[in-house]
Structures are given as C-alpha cells and as structure tokens.
Amino acid sequence: MDQKEFLLSVCVPTYNQAEAVKKLLENLVLQYTPQIEIVVCDDSTNNDTEEIVVEFQKIIPVRYFHRKREGLDRAVIFLTEEARGLFVWWIGDDVIGPDSIRRILTLISQNMDLSFIWVNSSDITNKNALTVSDTRNHFFKDRNEILKLDIGLLGFITATIFKRDVAVPGLTEAEKYIGSAFVCMYIILFVISREGRHYFLGTPSFHSNPKPPGEVRWYDQFQVFGINLFHVVKNFQGYFDRHLIKKALSKNLKMVLKAIVVERALGLKTGFASSSQKVIPLAKIYWNYPEFYLVLPLLLLPRPLLSFFYVYYKRVMGSQR
C-alpha cells in the first residue's frame, strides 16, 4: 500500500513485553481502519511477542520486525524510517483508550497542516490523575507555548504524534544521541522547530502505569533527566525564546533535584537515588541556575543524615495540618 494511503502509523517498540503488546493489539483490533498501519519492532530475547503478533496477523495487518536487542533509541529511528503513514505515533507499554484512533484520525484529516500533536493521558490506576491537568483540546499559539508544559514529557513516546516527513531529515543527527534514552525527544524537538501547527489533545487518550520512587528502569534516571535532557535540548535553543527555554530547563532541574533528595532520604539506591548520581556533572551544566545552589547542601549530605532531617521535616509538616 502506498504511504499516502495511511494517515497514521502506529509504531510499537517493545522488549520482552508480550502481554503489553497483546493488550495493545486487542485494542487495535476493535479500532482498526485501513487509514492506519501497525508496525512492531521487537527486541525481545524470546519468541513470545512474535507468537502473539502472528496470531493477530490473521485478523489485522501488522508489519513485524524481530531484531537483535539494540534499545529504544535505535528502535524509534528504525520505526520512523520504516513507517509508511503521514503521521507516526510511537506507543510504549501504555494502554490506548477505546476511541483514541478515531479521535486522532479525525484531528489529522481535518488539519493536514499539523506537524505535531501532544496527547494527554491518565494514570492507569486512577483515571482522574492526569499527566497534564488541562483537558482542553486546542492549538498551541506557537512552539514556545509547548515549553510551558513539562519539557521532560516530550521524551514520553506515547504522548507524542508527529508528521513523518518533517522528522525524517533530522534522523541522522538524532543518531548521535543513541544511548541517551532521548533520541525520541531529539526527533520531537526537531519537528517542533520546523514549520507546521502544533496541537494539544487534552482529552486523555491513553493510560500509563505510575512510576514509583526508586523504580529500576532500563536507563539511569539521574543521567537521563539530569544530564542527557539538557544536552539534547541545547541543540534547539536557537529555535525558542531564550527566557522560556531556560525556564523550562529550570522546571525540569527542580523536579530532578527534588527526586534525588527525596529518594536518597527514603534510603533508596535506585532511580534518582542511584549511586551514579554525582554533583559535579550537574554543576557543569547548571552552574548558572540558582535552584541548583539552593539544593546543593542537601545533595552533599550523607544519606543517613539526610534521612534523619527528612523524617523530622515530615513530622513537623504533619503536625501543622
């Protein structure tokens, strides 16, 4: 089928998550239309996902690629290159809503000048807990307005949909960030920095699993959000208002610092409390951000002492309620 016949490529990077892929395909069976294609890039070390996909291929078209484990960064580049649709929607281990495909296809078909769509979501355990509290569906005034959201969310793959032809010229440069866990963010920022209108789909269209403190992920959270994010974003500083992009980075830094302090105080040694956490790399890139110096004394405290002060703080705050 010719690329122009697909409005949307649903692209699924996966690694040993057969049940998540099964649930996604079950949803897509109910929402399938010839306007979409489904592409699965499987890095799994077993054949469980492949066996599931083969069963679904009897019902709906699914293009499937079982590759050696190369990680999410290479997977999103591969899927973007392989996609035949006008728009690309990467979907991780999240659960799409029952009307999401129709809603997105309607939006695209009525606004062919779109280049980027930011998709809101909710916590799978609490549908009222939204990723972004704003549920209005609206166009962003300009690319700078996007920065008023949490800039780290631009690396949340299921939350972003983009026009493929706008992204393709940036894929070669994006390869430089393989291993950063933020190739996806590079591609999205590349798209946003080009021409085209941008849309916020405030109606929650998928559900995601909550991320508990200290969660062990496939990447080092301190390195990715504390260091890598800054280096990816700085490539695009010339395309955004300088004040707004620094404010967006400042907001991200505050969240990273809070996560480091709280998770270390809780006695955790994973997540943002990872032993890889170092002050010097942060200081090198955030030396001109005042919030870094405000939290620096806490970063330098030994873990037992930090835990003591944290428990005391929680008791004082609790007594004042």
Side-chain angles (χ1 to χ4, degrees):
M1 185 175 283
D2 185 82
Q3 176 178 323
K4 295 180 181 178
E5 295 184 52
F6 295 118
L7 274 183
L8 180 67
S9 293
V10 177
C11 295
V12 186
T14 186
Y15 171 71
N16 288 348
Q17 294 177 306
E19 285 304 311
V21 173
K22 180 180 180 181
K23 190 170 186 64
L24 172 62
L25 293 177
E26 287 173 344
N27 275 328
L28 290 175
V29 165
L30 300 175
Q31 301 186 54
Y32 180 74
T33 163
Q35 291 180 299
I36 72 169
E37 69 158 349
I38 304 164
V39 190
V40 177
C41 177
D42 181 16
D43 277 7
S44 299
T45 56
N46 54 54
N47 295 323
D48 294 353
T49 300
E50 183 172 4
E51 291 171 2
I52 287 171
V53 171
V54 168
E55 289 301 309
F56 278 94
Q57 285 174 328
K58 300 173 183 177
I59 309 172
I60 54 175
V62 181
R63 288 200 292 137
Y64 174 80
F65 301 88
H66 197 166
R67 292 153 52 88
K68 65 180 181 179
R69 185 181 181 186
E70 295 183 311
L72 179 63
D73 287 331
R74 290 191 184 276
V76 296
I77 290 175
F78 173 81
L79 286 165
T80 305
E81 291 174 333
E82 192 63 35
R84 298 172 183 170
L86 182 64
F87 281 77
V88 172
W89 188 12
W90 302 314
I91 297 183
D93 60 346
D94 304 294
V95 179
I96 63 171
D99 197 35
S100 299
I101 297 296
R102 182 201 61 80
R103 186 182 299 124
I104 290 165
L105 290 176
T106 299
L107 175 61
I108 291 171
S109 60
Q110 293 177 353
N111 301 278
M112 298 297 283
D113 60 340
L114 281 171
S115 63
F116 171 71
I117 304 167
W118 203 96
V119 185
N120 204 2
S121 60
S122 64
D123 189 320
I124 200 167
T125 61
N126 179 4
K127 302 303 192 303
N128 294 319
L130 304 180
T131 304
V132 176
S133 59
D134 185 1
T135 57
R136 295 174 301 119
N137 299 324
H138 61 90
F139 286 96
F140 288 105
K141 181 176 63 177
D142 55 34
R143 65 174 65 106
N144 285 305
E145 190 178 7
I146 299 172
L147 297 180
K148 295 178 182 179
L149 297 173
D150 175 359
I151 198 168
L153 292 175
L154 294 179
F156 183 3
I157 61 172
T158 313
T160 55
I161 299 173
F162 58 93
K163 186 170 284 184
R164 179 187 178 276
D165 287 351
V166 179
V168 167
L171 296 183
T172 299
E173 286 296 310
E175 289 180 357
K176 295 179 181 179
Y177 291 92
I178 288 174
S180 71
F182 268 156
V183 160
C184 53
M185 177 180 282
Y186 185 98
I187 294 171
I188 294 304
L189 284 169
F190 183 89
V191 170
I192 294 170
S193 67
R194 269 54 190 177
E195 295 301 318
R197 292 203 294 171
H198 315 122
Y199 194 84
F200 179 74
L201 186 56
T203 303
S205 297
F206 68 95
H207 312 299
S208 59
N209 291 302
K211 309 299 182 186
E215 181 189 37
V216 178
R217 303 187 192 178
W218 58 272
Y219 58 82
D220 184 310
Q221 294 174 70
F222 165 76
Q223 179 66 37
V224 169
F225 287 95
I227 307 297
N228 298 353
L229 182 146
F230 180 92
H231 290 305
V232 170
V233 171
K234 75 175 184 179
N235 288 279
F236 301 95
Q237 289 180 335
Y239 293 95
F240 296 90
D241 179 274
R242 292 179 63 184
H243 172 73
L244 286 177
I245 204 163
K246 184 167 183 178
K247 190 172 181 179
L249 288 170
S250 174
K251 181 180 178 181
N252 176 73
L253 175 62
K254 289 176 184 176
M255 290 189 289
V256 168
L257 293 173
K258 180 180 178 180
I260 292 172
V261 171
V262 171
E263 293 188 16
R264 289 181 77 236
L266 289 173
L268 301 172
K269 295 185 179 180
T270 53
F272 284 96
S274 164
S275 59
S276 70
Q277 181 258 313
K278 301 290 189 297
V279 173
I280 292 177
L282 277 179
K284 286 181 177 178
I285 58 177
Y286 289 111
W287 61 270
N288 60 341
Y289 286 73
E291 46 273 86
F292 172 74
Y293 297 99
L294 291 174
V295 181
L296 181 59
L298 295 177
L299 298 179
L300 297 175
L301 277 179
R303 289 174 185 256
L305 194 55
L306 182 60
S307 296
F308 171 80
F309 284 124
Y310 182 72
V311 170
Y312 178 76
Y313 167 78
K314 295 293 286 186
R315 286 177 180 173
V316 170
M317 294 302 294
S319 67
Q320 293 178 354
R321 290 179 181 176

